[in-house]
Amino acid sequence: MISKKYAQLLFMFFMSFSMSVIMSGVVVAVNTGIGEGFINRWFYSWMFAFPVALVAALTMAPIMRPLVNKIASKE
């Protein structure tokens, strides 16, 4: 198993992976339709979307965590 200290990074990896799969699929379907070549267009789009999503998650998490904690701590 992977050490617990990597849990946050692993979470961000899986979250950005799944979100990029879903979002790239939806955007490709909306823009080009679901027809011949859809899977290829989706995969091509996802290859660019996943690294962007991962970098965005790693960059934005330290910024958003304090904001969320501040908002969520109000009762």
Short mmCIF file of all heavy atoms in Angstrom, two decimals:
data_model
loop_
_atom_site.label_atom_id
_atom_site.label_comp_id
_atom_site.label_asym_id
_atom_site.label_seq_id
_atom_site.Cartn_x
_atom_site.Cartn_y
_atom_site.Cartn_z
N MET A 1 0.84 -1.19 0.00
CA MET A 1 0.00 0.00 0.00
C MET A 1 0.88 1.25 0.00
O MET A 1 2.04 1.21 0.36
CB MET A 1 -0.90 0.02 1.23
CG MET A 1 -1.98 -1.07 1.28
SD MET A 1 -3.11 -1.17 -0.11
CE MET A 1 -4.03 0.30 0.01
N ILE A 2 0.27 2.33 -0.35
CA ILE A 2 0.96 3.62 -0.39
C ILE A 2 0.84 4.29 0.98
O ILE A 2 -0.20 4.20 1.64
CB ILE A 2 0.36 4.51 -1.49
CG1 ILE A 2 0.62 3.87 -2.85
CG2 ILE A 2 0.93 5.91 -1.44
CD1 ILE A 2 -0.01 4.58 -4.01
N SER A 3 1.90 4.96 1.38
CA SER A 3 1.93 5.64 2.67
C SER A 3 0.81 6.68 2.79
O SER A 3 0.45 7.34 1.82
CB SER A 3 3.28 6.32 2.85
OG SER A 3 3.29 7.14 4.00
N LYS A 4 0.28 6.82 4.01
CA LYS A 4 -0.80 7.76 4.28
C LYS A 4 -0.39 9.21 3.97
O LYS A 4 -1.24 10.04 3.64
CB LYS A 4 -1.21 7.62 5.76
CG LYS A 4 -2.43 8.38 6.13
CD LYS A 4 -3.67 7.65 5.66
CE LYS A 4 -4.88 8.23 6.35
NZ LYS A 4 -6.11 7.76 5.78
N LYS A 5 0.90 9.50 4.02
CA LYS A 5 1.35 10.88 3.77
C LYS A 5 1.12 11.30 2.31
O LYS A 5 1.12 12.48 2.00
CB LYS A 5 2.81 11.07 4.16
CG LYS A 5 3.82 10.38 3.29
CD LYS A 5 5.23 10.65 3.78
CE LYS A 5 6.26 9.96 2.92
NZ LYS A 5 7.61 10.26 3.36
N TYR A 6 0.90 10.33 1.42
CA TYR A 6 0.64 10.63 0.02
C TYR A 6 -0.86 10.63 -0.31
O TYR A 6 -1.24 10.74 -1.48
CB TYR A 6 1.36 9.65 -0.89
CG TYR A 6 2.86 9.70 -0.74
CD1 TYR A 6 3.56 8.63 -0.20
CD2 TYR A 6 3.57 10.84 -1.13
CE1 TYR A 6 4.93 8.68 -0.06
CE2 TYR A 6 4.93 10.90 -0.99
CZ TYR A 6 5.62 9.81 -0.46
OH TYR A 6 6.97 9.87 -0.32
N ALA A 7 -1.69 10.52 0.69
CA ALA A 7 -3.14 10.41 0.47
C ALA A 7 -3.70 11.62 -0.26
O ALA A 7 -4.52 11.47 -1.17
CB ALA A 7 -3.87 10.21 1.79
N GLN A 8 -3.29 12.82 0.12
CA GLN A 8 -3.81 14.03 -0.51
C GLN A 8 -3.40 14.09 -1.99
O GLN A 8 -4.21 14.43 -2.85
CB GLN A 8 -3.33 15.27 0.23
CG GLN A 8 -3.98 16.56 -0.25
CD GLN A 8 -5.48 16.60 0.00
OE1 GLN A 8 -5.99 16.01 0.94
NE2 GLN A 8 -6.19 17.30 -0.84
N LEU A 9 -2.15 13.76 -2.29
CA LEU A 9 -1.70 13.75 -3.68
C LEU A 9 -2.43 12.70 -4.50
O LEU A 9 -2.82 12.94 -5.64
CB LEU A 9 -0.18 13.50 -3.75
CG LEU A 9 0.71 14.65 -3.35
CD1 LEU A 9 2.17 14.20 -3.34
CD2 LEU A 9 0.53 15.82 -4.28
N LEU A 10 -2.62 11.54 -3.90
CA LEU A 10 -3.35 10.47 -4.58
C LEU A 10 -4.80 10.88 -4.84
O LEU A 10 -5.35 10.63 -5.92
CB LEU A 10 -3.29 9.20 -3.75
CG LEU A 10 -3.65 7.90 -4.43
CD1 LEU A 10 -2.76 7.64 -5.63
CD2 LEU A 10 -3.52 6.75 -3.44
N PHE A 11 -5.40 11.52 -3.85
CA PHE A 11 -6.77 12.02 -4.01
C PHE A 11 -6.84 13.01 -5.18
O PHE A 11 -7.72 12.92 -6.03
CB PHE A 11 -7.25 12.69 -2.72
CG PHE A 11 -8.56 13.39 -2.88
CD1 PHE A 11 -9.75 12.68 -2.88
CD2 PHE A 11 -8.61 14.77 -3.06
CE1 PHE A 11 -10.96 13.33 -3.04
CE2 PHE A 11 -9.81 15.42 -3.22
CZ PHE A 11 -11.00 14.70 -3.21
N MET A 12 -5.89 13.96 -5.22
CA MET A 12 -5.90 14.95 -6.30
C MET A 12 -5.66 14.30 -7.66
O MET A 12 -6.25 14.71 -8.66
CB MET A 12 -4.88 16.04 -6.03
CG MET A 12 -5.35 17.03 -4.98
SD MET A 12 -4.34 18.48 -4.91
CE MET A 12 -3.38 18.13 -3.47
N PHE A 13 -4.81 13.28 -7.71
CA PHE A 13 -4.56 12.57 -8.96
C PHE A 13 -5.84 11.91 -9.46
O PHE A 13 -6.24 12.09 -10.61
CB PHE A 13 -3.46 11.52 -8.77
CG PHE A 13 -3.20 10.69 -9.99
CD1 PHE A 13 -2.35 11.14 -10.97
CD2 PHE A 13 -3.83 9.47 -10.16
CE1 PHE A 13 -2.12 10.38 -12.12
CE2 PHE A 13 -3.61 8.70 -11.29
CZ PHE A 13 -2.74 9.16 -12.27
N PHE A 14 -6.50 11.14 -8.59
CA PHE A 14 -7.71 10.43 -9.00
C PHE A 14 -8.86 11.39 -9.30
O PHE A 14 -9.64 11.16 -10.22
CB PHE A 14 -8.14 9.40 -7.95
CG PHE A 14 -7.30 8.16 -7.97
CD1 PHE A 14 -6.61 7.75 -6.85
CD2 PHE A 14 -7.18 7.40 -9.12
CE1 PHE A 14 -5.82 6.62 -6.86
CE2 PHE A 14 -6.40 6.26 -9.15
CZ PHE A 14 -5.71 5.87 -8.01
N MET A 15 -8.97 12.45 -8.52
CA MET A 15 -10.03 13.42 -8.76
C MET A 15 -9.82 14.14 -10.09
O MET A 15 -10.77 14.29 -10.87
CB MET A 15 -10.11 14.43 -7.61
CG MET A 15 -11.28 15.34 -7.73
SD MET A 15 -12.83 14.42 -7.71
CE MET A 15 -13.53 15.05 -6.25
N SER A 16 -8.59 14.58 -10.36
CA SER A 16 -8.34 15.26 -11.63
C SER A 16 -8.48 14.29 -12.80
O SER A 16 -8.95 14.68 -13.87
CB SER A 16 -6.97 15.94 -11.63
OG SER A 16 -5.94 15.02 -11.43
N PHE A 17 -8.10 13.04 -12.60
CA PHE A 17 -8.27 12.03 -13.65
C PHE A 17 -9.75 11.87 -13.99
O PHE A 17 -10.16 11.98 -15.15
CB PHE A 17 -7.68 10.68 -13.21
CG PHE A 17 -7.89 9.58 -14.21
CD1 PHE A 17 -7.01 9.41 -15.25
CD2 PHE A 17 -8.98 8.73 -14.09
CE1 PHE A 17 -7.20 8.40 -16.18
CE2 PHE A 17 -9.18 7.71 -15.01
CZ PHE A 17 -8.30 7.55 -16.06
N SER A 18 -10.57 11.63 -12.97
CA SER A 18 -11.99 11.37 -13.22
C SER A 18 -12.70 12.62 -13.75
O SER A 18 -13.52 12.51 -14.68
CB SER A 18 -12.68 10.85 -11.97
OG SER A 18 -12.58 11.78 -10.92
N MET A 19 -12.39 13.78 -13.21
CA MET A 19 -13.03 15.01 -13.69
C MET A 19 -12.63 15.31 -15.13
O MET A 19 -13.47 15.75 -15.92
CB MET A 19 -12.67 16.18 -12.78
CG MET A 19 -13.26 16.09 -11.39
SD MET A 19 -15.07 16.16 -11.38
CE MET A 19 -15.33 17.84 -11.88
N SER A 20 -11.37 15.08 -15.47
CA SER A 20 -10.94 15.36 -16.84
C SER A 20 -11.57 14.39 -17.83
O SER A 20 -11.91 14.77 -18.96
CB SER A 20 -9.42 15.34 -16.95
OG SER A 20 -8.88 14.07 -16.67
N VAL A 21 -11.75 13.13 -17.43
CA VAL A 21 -12.43 12.16 -18.30
C VAL A 21 -13.86 12.61 -18.56
O VAL A 21 -14.32 12.65 -19.71
CB VAL A 21 -12.41 10.74 -17.69
CG1 VAL A 21 -13.39 9.81 -18.39
CG2 VAL A 21 -11.01 10.16 -17.74
N ILE A 22 -14.57 12.98 -17.50
CA ILE A 22 -15.97 13.39 -17.63
C ILE A 22 -16.09 14.68 -18.42
O ILE A 22 -16.87 14.77 -19.38
CB ILE A 22 -16.62 13.54 -16.24
CG1 ILE A 22 -16.71 12.17 -15.56
CG2 ILE A 22 -17.99 14.20 -16.35
CD1 ILE A 22 -17.02 12.25 -14.06
N MET A 23 -15.34 15.70 -18.03
CA MET A 23 -15.47 17.01 -18.68
C MET A 23 -15.03 16.98 -20.14
O MET A 23 -15.69 17.58 -20.99
CB MET A 23 -14.69 18.07 -17.91
CG MET A 23 -15.26 18.38 -16.54
SD MET A 23 -17.00 18.88 -16.58
CE MET A 23 -16.90 20.37 -17.54
N SER A 24 -13.93 16.30 -20.44
CA SER A 24 -13.50 16.26 -21.84
C SER A 24 -14.53 15.50 -22.68
O SER A 24 -14.81 15.89 -23.82
CB SER A 24 -12.11 15.63 -21.97
OG SER A 24 -12.10 14.30 -21.53
N GLY A 25 -15.11 14.44 -22.13
CA GLY A 25 -16.15 13.70 -22.84
C GLY A 25 -17.37 14.54 -23.12
O GLY A 25 -17.91 14.55 -24.23
N VAL A 26 -17.81 15.29 -22.12
CA VAL A 26 -18.99 16.14 -22.29
C VAL A 26 -18.72 17.25 -23.30
O VAL A 26 -19.55 17.50 -24.19
CB VAL A 26 -19.43 16.73 -20.92
CG1 VAL A 26 -20.46 17.83 -21.11
CG2 VAL A 26 -19.96 15.64 -20.02
N VAL A 27 -17.57 17.90 -23.19
CA VAL A 27 -17.25 19.00 -24.10
C VAL A 27 -17.12 18.50 -25.54
O VAL A 27 -17.63 19.13 -26.47
CB VAL A 27 -15.98 19.75 -23.64
CG1 VAL A 27 -15.51 20.73 -24.69
CG2 VAL A 27 -16.23 20.47 -22.33
N VAL A 28 -16.46 17.36 -25.73
CA VAL A 28 -16.33 16.81 -27.08
C VAL A 28 -17.70 16.43 -27.62
O VAL A 28 -18.02 16.69 -28.79
CB VAL A 28 -15.36 15.60 -27.10
CG1 VAL A 28 -15.43 14.86 -28.42
CG2 VAL A 28 -13.94 16.07 -26.84
N ALA A 29 -18.55 15.82 -26.80
CA ALA A 29 -19.90 15.43 -27.24
C ALA A 29 -20.73 16.65 -27.62
O ALA A 29 -21.41 16.64 -28.65
CB ALA A 29 -20.60 14.62 -26.15
N VAL A 30 -20.65 17.69 -26.83
CA VAL A 30 -21.42 18.90 -27.12
C VAL A 30 -20.91 19.57 -28.40
O VAL A 30 -21.70 20.02 -29.24
CB VAL A 30 -21.37 19.88 -25.93
CG1 VAL A 30 -21.88 21.25 -26.32
CG2 VAL A 30 -22.16 19.33 -24.76
N ASN A 31 -19.60 19.65 -28.55
CA ASN A 31 -19.04 20.37 -29.68
C ASN A 31 -19.04 19.59 -30.99
O ASN A 31 -19.17 20.19 -32.06
CB ASN A 31 -17.60 20.82 -29.37
CG ASN A 31 -17.57 21.96 -28.39
OD1 ASN A 31 -18.48 22.77 -28.33
ND2 ASN A 31 -16.52 22.03 -27.60
N THR A 32 -18.88 18.27 -30.94
CA THR A 32 -18.75 17.51 -32.18
C THR A 32 -19.78 16.40 -32.32
O THR A 32 -19.85 15.77 -33.37
CB THR A 32 -17.34 16.89 -32.30
OG1 THR A 32 -17.14 15.93 -31.26
CG2 THR A 32 -16.26 17.95 -32.23
N GLY A 33 -20.53 16.14 -31.27
CA GLY A 33 -21.54 15.09 -31.32
C GLY A 33 -20.94 13.72 -31.00
O GLY A 33 -19.73 13.53 -31.01
N ILE A 34 -21.84 12.80 -30.71
CA ILE A 34 -21.42 11.42 -30.43
C ILE A 34 -21.69 10.62 -31.71
O ILE A 34 -22.81 10.27 -32.00
CB ILE A 34 -22.19 10.83 -29.24
CG1 ILE A 34 -21.93 11.65 -27.99
CG2 ILE A 34 -21.80 9.38 -29.02
CD1 ILE A 34 -22.73 11.23 -26.78
N GLY A 35 -20.64 10.40 -32.44
CA GLY A 35 -20.77 9.67 -33.69
C GLY A 35 -19.45 8.99 -34.00
O GLY A 35 -18.66 8.69 -33.10
N GLU A 36 -19.23 8.79 -35.27
CA GLU A 36 -18.01 8.13 -35.70
C GLU A 36 -16.79 8.93 -35.26
O GLU A 36 -16.73 10.16 -35.43
CB GLU A 36 -18.00 7.99 -37.22
CG GLU A 36 -16.85 7.17 -37.74
CD GLU A 36 -16.93 6.97 -39.24
OE1 GLU A 36 -18.04 7.01 -39.79
OE2 GLU A 36 -15.87 6.78 -39.84
N GLY A 37 -15.85 8.24 -34.64
CA GLY A 37 -14.61 8.88 -34.20
C GLY A 37 -14.70 9.56 -32.85
O GLY A 37 -13.75 10.20 -32.42
N PHE A 38 -15.85 9.43 -32.17
CA PHE A 38 -16.02 10.10 -30.88
C PHE A 38 -14.97 9.67 -29.86
O PHE A 38 -14.38 10.52 -29.18
CB PHE A 38 -17.42 9.84 -30.31
CG PHE A 38 -17.59 10.34 -28.90
CD1 PHE A 38 -17.72 11.69 -28.65
CD2 PHE A 38 -17.61 9.46 -27.83
CE1 PHE A 38 -17.87 12.16 -27.35
CE2 PHE A 38 -17.75 9.91 -26.53
CZ PHE A 38 -17.89 11.27 -26.30
N ILE A 39 -14.72 8.39 -29.75
CA ILE A 39 -13.75 7.89 -28.76
C ILE A 39 -12.36 8.45 -29.04
O ILE A 39 -11.65 8.88 -28.10
CB ILE A 39 -13.72 6.34 -28.75
CG1 ILE A 39 -15.08 5.77 -28.34
CG2 ILE A 39 -12.62 5.81 -27.83
CD1 ILE A 39 -15.53 6.13 -26.93
N ASN A 40 -11.96 8.49 -30.29
CA ASN A 40 -10.65 9.05 -30.63
C ASN A 40 -10.56 10.53 -30.29
O ASN A 40 -9.55 11.00 -29.75
CB ASN A 40 -10.33 8.84 -32.12
CG ASN A 40 -10.08 7.40 -32.45
OD1 ASN A 40 -9.67 6.61 -31.60
ND2 ASN A 40 -10.34 7.02 -33.69
N ARG A 41 -11.61 11.29 -30.62
CA ARG A 41 -11.63 12.73 -30.29
C ARG A 41 -11.62 12.93 -28.79
O ARG A 41 -10.94 13.81 -28.27
CB ARG A 41 -12.86 13.39 -30.91
CG ARG A 41 -12.81 13.47 -32.42
CD ARG A 41 -13.93 14.33 -33.00
NE ARG A 41 -15.26 14.04 -32.49
CZ ARG A 41 -16.09 13.13 -33.01
NH1 ARG A 41 -15.71 12.40 -34.04
NH2 ARG A 41 -17.29 12.94 -32.50
N TRP A 42 -12.38 12.09 -28.08
CA TRP A 42 -12.44 12.18 -26.62
C TRP A 42 -11.07 11.90 -26.02
O TRP A 42 -10.59 12.65 -25.18
CB TRP A 42 -13.46 11.21 -26.09
CG TRP A 42 -13.74 11.26 -24.63
CD1 TRP A 42 -13.13 12.04 -23.68
CD2 TRP A 42 -14.73 10.52 -23.94
NE1 TRP A 42 -13.68 11.81 -22.45
CE2 TRP A 42 -14.66 10.89 -22.58
CE3 TRP A 42 -15.66 9.58 -24.33
CZ2 TRP A 42 -15.50 10.33 -21.61
CZ3 TRP A 42 -16.50 9.05 -23.36
CH2 TRP A 42 -16.41 9.42 -22.03
N PHE A 43 -10.42 10.83 -26.45
CA PHE A 43 -9.11 10.48 -25.91
C PHE A 43 -8.08 11.57 -26.21
O PHE A 43 -7.28 11.94 -25.34
CB PHE A 43 -8.63 9.13 -26.48
CG PHE A 43 -7.31 8.70 -25.90
CD1 PHE A 43 -7.24 8.26 -24.58
CD2 PHE A 43 -6.15 8.75 -26.65
CE1 PHE A 43 -6.02 7.86 -24.03
CE2 PHE A 43 -4.94 8.37 -26.11
CZ PHE A 43 -4.87 7.92 -24.79
N TYR A 44 -8.10 12.10 -27.43
CA TYR A 44 -7.18 13.18 -27.80
C TYR A 44 -7.40 14.40 -26.90
O TYR A 44 -6.45 15.01 -26.40
CB TYR A 44 -7.37 13.54 -29.27
CG TYR A 44 -6.43 14.60 -29.75
CD1 TYR A 44 -5.11 14.29 -30.08
CD2 TYR A 44 -6.84 15.92 -29.90
CE1 TYR A 44 -4.23 15.26 -30.52
CE2 TYR A 44 -5.98 16.89 -30.34
CZ TYR A 44 -4.67 16.56 -30.65
OH TYR A 44 -3.81 17.54 -31.08
N SER A 45 -8.65 14.75 -26.67
CA SER A 45 -8.98 15.88 -25.80
C SER A 45 -8.56 15.60 -24.36
O SER A 45 -8.01 16.48 -23.68
CB SER A 45 -10.49 16.13 -25.87
OG SER A 45 -10.88 17.12 -24.97
N TRP A 46 -8.79 14.38 -23.90
CA TRP A 46 -8.44 14.03 -22.53
C TRP A 46 -6.94 14.07 -22.29
O TRP A 46 -6.48 14.46 -21.21
CB TRP A 46 -8.98 12.64 -22.17
CG TRP A 46 -8.49 12.21 -20.84
CD1 TRP A 46 -8.98 12.60 -19.62
CD2 TRP A 46 -7.37 11.37 -20.57
NE1 TRP A 46 -8.24 12.03 -18.63
CE2 TRP A 46 -7.24 11.27 -19.18
CE3 TRP A 46 -6.48 10.68 -21.38
CZ2 TRP A 46 -6.25 10.51 -18.58
CZ3 TRP A 46 -5.49 9.92 -20.78
CH2 TRP A 46 -5.39 9.84 -19.39
N MET A 47 -6.14 13.70 -23.31
CA MET A 47 -4.68 13.73 -23.15
C MET A 47 -4.18 15.13 -22.78
O MET A 47 -3.20 15.28 -22.07
CB MET A 47 -3.98 13.28 -24.44
CG MET A 47 -4.01 11.80 -24.66
SD MET A 47 -2.94 11.21 -26.01
CE MET A 47 -3.00 12.49 -27.22
N PHE A 48 -4.87 16.16 -23.24
CA PHE A 48 -4.50 17.52 -22.89
C PHE A 48 -5.19 17.98 -21.61
O PHE A 48 -4.63 18.74 -20.82
CB PHE A 48 -4.84 18.48 -24.03
CG PHE A 48 -3.98 18.28 -25.24
CD1 PHE A 48 -4.44 17.52 -26.29
CD2 PHE A 48 -2.71 18.81 -25.30
CE1 PHE A 48 -3.64 17.30 -27.40
CE2 PHE A 48 -1.90 18.61 -26.40
CZ PHE A 48 -2.36 17.85 -27.46
N ALA A 49 -6.40 17.50 -21.39
CA ALA A 49 -7.18 17.95 -20.24
C ALA A 49 -6.63 17.41 -18.92
O ALA A 49 -6.62 18.12 -17.91
CB ALA A 49 -8.64 17.52 -20.40
N PHE A 50 -6.16 16.17 -18.90
CA PHE A 50 -5.71 15.58 -17.65
C PHE A 50 -4.51 16.30 -17.03
O PHE A 50 -4.56 16.66 -15.85
CB PHE A 50 -5.43 14.08 -17.81
CG PHE A 50 -4.86 13.46 -16.56
CD1 PHE A 50 -5.56 13.52 -15.36
CD2 PHE A 50 -3.63 12.83 -16.58
CE1 PHE A 50 -5.04 12.95 -14.21
CE2 PHE A 50 -3.11 12.26 -15.43
CZ PHE A 50 -3.81 12.33 -14.24
N PRO A 51 -3.45 16.56 -17.78
CA PRO A 51 -2.33 17.30 -17.15
C PRO A 51 -2.74 18.69 -16.67
O PRO A 51 -2.30 19.14 -15.62
CB PRO A 51 -1.28 17.39 -18.26
CG PRO A 51 -1.64 16.37 -19.25
CD PRO A 51 -3.11 16.13 -19.14
N VAL A 52 -3.60 19.35 -17.43
CA VAL A 52 -4.08 20.68 -17.02
C VAL A 52 -4.88 20.56 -15.72
O VAL A 52 -4.70 21.35 -14.80
CB VAL A 52 -4.91 21.34 -18.13
CG1 VAL A 52 -5.58 22.61 -17.63
CG2 VAL A 52 -4.04 21.63 -19.35
N ALA A 53 -5.75 19.56 -15.65
CA ALA A 53 -6.56 19.37 -14.44
C ALA A 53 -5.68 19.03 -13.24
O ALA A 53 -5.93 19.52 -12.13
CB ALA A 53 -7.59 18.26 -14.67
N LEU A 54 -4.67 18.21 -13.44
CA LEU A 54 -3.78 17.84 -12.34
C LEU A 54 -2.99 19.04 -11.84
O LEU A 54 -2.92 19.29 -10.63
CB LEU A 54 -2.84 16.71 -12.78
CG LEU A 54 -1.91 16.17 -11.70
CD1 LEU A 54 -2.71 15.63 -10.51
CD2 LEU A 54 -1.03 15.07 -12.29
N VAL A 55 -2.42 19.81 -12.74
CA VAL A 55 -1.67 21.02 -12.34
C VAL A 55 -2.61 22.02 -11.66
O VAL A 55 -2.25 22.63 -10.65
CB VAL A 55 -0.96 21.65 -13.56
CG1 VAL A 55 -0.42 23.03 -13.23
CG2 VAL A 55 0.15 20.74 -14.05
N ALA A 56 -3.82 22.16 -12.19
CA ALA A 56 -4.78 23.08 -11.57
C ALA A 56 -5.14 22.62 -10.16
O ALA A 56 -5.20 23.44 -9.23
CB ALA A 56 -6.04 23.16 -12.42
N ALA A 57 -5.35 21.33 -9.97
CA ALA A 57 -5.69 20.82 -8.63
C ALA A 57 -4.53 21.03 -7.66
O ALA A 57 -4.74 21.47 -6.53
CB ALA A 57 -6.04 19.33 -8.71
N LEU A 58 -3.32 20.73 -8.11
CA LEU A 58 -2.16 20.90 -7.24
C LEU A 58 -1.88 22.37 -6.93
O LEU A 58 -1.42 22.69 -5.83
CB LEU A 58 -0.92 20.26 -7.89
CG LEU A 58 -0.96 18.74 -8.02
CD1 LEU A 58 0.20 18.25 -8.88
CD2 LEU A 58 -0.95 18.07 -6.67
N THR A 59 -2.18 23.25 -7.87
CA THR A 59 -1.95 24.67 -7.68
C THR A 59 -3.04 25.32 -6.83
O THR A 59 -2.76 26.14 -5.96
CB THR A 59 -1.89 25.39 -9.05
OG1 THR A 59 -0.87 24.78 -9.83
CG2 THR A 59 -1.61 26.86 -8.89
N MET A 60 -4.27 24.95 -7.09
CA MET A 60 -5.40 25.62 -6.43
C MET A 60 -5.72 25.07 -5.05
O MET A 60 -6.29 25.79 -4.23
CB MET A 60 -6.65 25.52 -7.32
CG MET A 60 -6.51 26.24 -8.65
SD MET A 60 -5.99 27.96 -8.51
CE MET A 60 -7.41 28.68 -7.73
N ALA A 61 -5.35 23.85 -4.75
CA ALA A 61 -5.68 23.26 -3.44
C ALA A 61 -5.14 24.08 -2.27
O ALA A 61 -5.90 24.37 -1.33
CB ALA A 61 -5.20 21.82 -3.36
N PRO A 62 -3.87 24.50 -2.29
CA PRO A 62 -3.38 25.29 -1.16
C PRO A 62 -4.06 26.66 -1.03
O PRO A 62 -4.13 27.23 0.05
CB PRO A 62 -1.88 25.49 -1.46
CG PRO A 62 -1.54 24.47 -2.47
CD PRO A 62 -2.80 24.18 -3.23
N ILE A 63 -4.58 27.17 -2.13
CA ILE A 63 -5.28 28.46 -2.11
C ILE A 63 -6.71 28.28 -1.61
O ILE A 63 -7.21 29.08 -0.81
CB ILE A 63 -5.27 29.09 -3.52
CG1 ILE A 63 -3.84 29.37 -3.95
CG2 ILE A 63 -6.13 30.34 -3.57
CD1 ILE A 63 -3.68 29.70 -5.42
N MET A 64 -7.37 27.23 -2.07
CA MET A 64 -8.77 27.02 -1.74
C MET A 64 -9.00 26.41 -0.36
O MET A 64 -10.03 26.67 0.27
CB MET A 64 -9.43 26.12 -2.80
CG MET A 64 -9.52 26.77 -4.15
SD MET A 64 -10.50 28.27 -4.05
CE MET A 64 -9.81 29.21 -5.37
N ARG A 65 -8.07 25.61 0.13
CA ARG A 65 -8.26 24.94 1.42
C ARG A 65 -8.51 25.93 2.55
O ARG A 65 -9.49 25.77 3.31
CB ARG A 65 -7.05 24.04 1.72
CG ARG A 65 -7.29 23.11 2.90
CD ARG A 65 -6.18 22.09 3.07
NE ARG A 65 -6.19 21.13 1.96
CZ ARG A 65 -5.21 20.99 1.09
NH1 ARG A 65 -4.12 21.70 1.16
NH2 ARG A 65 -5.31 20.10 0.12
N PRO A 66 -7.70 26.99 2.71
CA PRO A 66 -7.98 27.96 3.79
C PRO A 66 -9.33 28.68 3.59
O PRO A 66 -10.04 28.94 4.55
CB PRO A 66 -6.83 28.95 3.71
CG PRO A 66 -5.75 28.26 2.97
CD PRO A 66 -6.43 27.29 2.06
N LEU A 67 -9.66 28.97 2.34
CA LEU A 67 -10.94 29.63 2.07
C LEU A 67 -12.10 28.73 2.46
O LEU A 67 -13.04 29.17 3.13
CB LEU A 67 -11.02 30.00 0.59
CG LEU A 67 -12.33 30.62 0.11
CD1 LEU A 67 -12.57 31.96 0.81
CD2 LEU A 67 -12.32 30.78 -1.39
N VAL A 68 -12.04 27.48 2.08
CA VAL A 68 -13.11 26.52 2.43
C VAL A 68 -13.17 26.34 3.95
O VAL A 68 -14.27 26.32 4.52
CB VAL A 68 -12.89 25.18 1.71
CG1 VAL A 68 -13.83 24.11 2.25
CG2 VAL A 68 -13.06 25.34 0.22
N ASN A 69 -12.02 26.22 4.59
CA ASN A 69 -12.02 26.07 6.05
C ASN A 69 -12.62 27.28 6.74
O ASN A 69 -13.32 27.15 7.74
CB ASN A 69 -10.60 25.82 6.56
CG ASN A 69 -10.10 24.44 6.21
OD1 ASN A 69 -10.89 23.53 5.96
ND2 ASN A 69 -8.80 24.28 6.15
N LYS A 70 -12.34 28.46 6.21
CA LYS A 70 -12.92 29.69 6.80
C LYS A 70 -14.43 29.72 6.64
O LYS A 70 -15.16 30.04 7.58
CB LYS A 70 -12.29 30.92 6.15
CG LYS A 70 -12.72 32.21 6.75
CD LYS A 70 -11.99 33.37 6.11
CE LYS A 70 -12.43 34.68 6.75
NZ LYS A 70 -11.72 35.83 6.20
N ILE A 71 -14.90 29.38 5.46
CA ILE A 71 -16.34 29.39 5.19
C ILE A 71 -17.04 28.27 5.98
O ILE A 71 -18.10 28.48 6.57
CB ILE A 71 -16.61 29.23 3.69
CG1 ILE A 71 -16.11 30.46 2.93
CG2 ILE A 71 -18.09 28.99 3.42
CD1 ILE A 71 -16.10 30.28 1.42
N ALA A 72 -16.45 27.09 6.01
CA ALA A 72 -17.07 25.93 6.65
C ALA A 72 -17.03 26.00 8.16
O ALA A 72 -17.81 25.33 8.82
CB ALA A 72 -16.41 24.66 6.16
N SER A 73 -16.14 26.79 8.72
CA SER A 73 -16.03 26.82 10.18
C SER A 73 -17.09 27.70 10.82
O SER A 73 -17.27 27.65 12.03
CB SER A 73 -14.63 27.31 10.59
OG SER A 73 -14.46 28.67 10.22
N LYS A 74 -17.79 28.49 10.03
CA LYS A 74 -18.86 29.33 10.58
C LYS A 74 -20.09 28.46 10.84
O LYS A 74 -20.54 27.73 9.99
CB LYS A 74 -19.21 30.46 9.61
CG LYS A 74 -18.09 31.44 9.43
CD LYS A 74 -18.50 32.55 8.50
CE LYS A 74 -17.33 33.51 8.31
NZ LYS A 74 -17.64 34.58 7.41
N GLU A 75 -20.61 28.59 12.07
CA GLU A 75 -21.80 27.78 12.42
C GLU A 75 -23.01 28.62 12.59
O GLU A 75 -23.09 29.71 12.88
CB GLU A 75 -21.51 26.99 13.69
CG GLU A 75 -20.45 25.97 13.45
CD GLU A 75 -20.19 25.11 14.69
OE1 GLU A 75 -21.10 24.96 15.52
OE2 GLU A 75 -19.08 24.59 14.79
#
